[in-house]
Amino acid sequence: MGIKPPPRLVALDTQVFDSYNFNYHSKVFRTLVTLAQQDKIRLLLTSVTLHEIRAHITEGAELTSKAINYAVNDLNKKRFKAQGDTKRVKISANSDLLYEFKKKVKRLAPTFEQINQDLLDQFEALLQELDFEIIEVDKVSAAEVFGNYFSGTPPFDEGKKKYEFPDAFALLALQKEAKDRNRIIYIVSGDLDWKKFCSSSKDLSLVEKLDE
């Protein structure tokens, strides 16, 4: 019986979760879970990436809540206009049936807190299935990050440099982890700046999509 090879080290960028709309029931995420549970891959997430993912979830929950509230408030208008129609009607506003419908919709509409907690719980459940490792970024040299910032080294780019600091810390932390383990880390990201950084590193290999 041959020696079992070590699991491949795989790190995910926040962009991956955004691109699949946080749908953990999708085929790609279910395949990821299967590979992790079969010990074929070992998932790594930096502390910065975890923070970003949760922030994106909360931002999406807030936008969803606002859309729901807008729709509910729209039901309270005295005049209604069918989609594609230019005329507004008032007579339906006097309907007792419609009044009861409005009350039920308003009562059933979830709050921002409920939506946010539900989405965060789904994410935490996925992490439990993946049995991932957290890669802390506190060992990354701030001097190195600022050196890359001033020299324009990826992931820093013209016009959006200040927004790339989290990515810089995440990438340097993963690169250091790869060096410490003497292993290649496969990074999944469709972000062009992540691609540029990985192309100049012998310790990181970039894959643009989970299903590649």
Side-chain angles (χ1 to χ4, degrees):
M1 186 175 180
I3 299 175
K4 184 179 179 181
R8 179 173 291 191
L9 301 177
V10 178
L12 304 183
D13 178 21
T14 306
Q15 182 271 338
V16 174
F17 292 84
D18 287 331
S19 64
Y20 290 101
N21 199 30
F22 299 88
N23 181 9
Y24 313 126
H25 298 294
S26 64
K27 183 179 178 180
V28 287
F29 273 112
R30 297 327 302 167
T31 300
L32 189 71
V33 169
T34 298
L35 292 174
Q37 292 179 347
Q38 291 176 347
D39 209 27
K40 292 182 178 179
I41 66 170
R42 183 64 172 165
L43 184 66
L44 311 175
L45 289 171
T46 71
S47 52
V48 167
T49 302
L50 280 169
H51 179 79
E52 280 190 334
I53 292 171
R54 293 183 177 115
H56 284 208
I57 288 173
T58 297
E59 181 182 356
E62 185 175 8
L63 292 173
T64 301
S65 178
K66 286 181 178 179
I68 291 173
N69 288 335
Y70 180 84
V72 171
N73 290 335
D74 199 46
L75 287 173
N76 292 323
K77 293 179 179 178
K78 297 299 183 182
R79 293 171 179 264
F80 299 90
K81 182 176 71 172
Q83 186 175 359
D85 201 337
T86 57
K87 295 181 179 180
R88 291 183 179 271
V89 295
K90 293 188 294 182
I91 188 171
S92 57
N94 298 319
S95 167
D96 291 336
L97 186 62
L98 183 58
Y99 175 74
E100 290 300 320
F101 172 73
K102 292 177 187 178
K103 287 202 303 183
K104 289 180 180 179
V105 169
K106 191 171 184 179
R107 186 169 63 251
L108 291 173
T111 64
F112 157 71
E113 289 77 14
Q114 290 172 326
I115 297 170
N116 187 46
Q117 192 59 57
D118 180 55
L119 295 175
L120 288 173
D121 287 346
Q122 289 181 33
F123 177 57
E124 297 304 323
L126 173 72
L127 294 181
Q128 290 292 324
E129 288 188 285
L130 291 169
D131 190 26
F132 72 107
E133 288 184 41
I134 298 179
I135 306 301
E136 299 291 348
V137 301
D138 54 0
K139 295 181 181 179
V140 173
S141 167
E144 184 176 3
V145 173
F146 277 99
N148 290 345
Y149 170 75
F150 288 114
S151 65
T153 301
F156 294 106
D157 196 10
E158 286 296 330
K160 55 176 183 177
K161 285 187 173 182
K162 65 180 180 179
Y163 302 112
E164 301 302 332
F165 273 98
D167 286 349
F169 275 94
L171 286 165
L172 287 171
L174 289 169
Q175 182 170 258
K176 185 179 185 308
E177 188 71 20
K179 289 180 182 295
D180 291 346
R181 298 192 187 200
N182 195 27
R183 297 274 306 280
I184 291 177
I185 294 179
Y186 294 86
I187 293 182
V188 185
S189 176
D191 187 289
L192 181 60
D193 293 320
W194 280 55
K195 185 175 183 179
K196 289 178 181 178
F197 184 95
C198 292
S199 66
S200 63
S201 173
K202 60 181 176 54
D203 305 295
L204 305 176
S205 179
L206 186 129
V207 179
E208 292 188 13
K209 295 181 180 180
L210 270 178
D211 52 2
E212 286 188 10

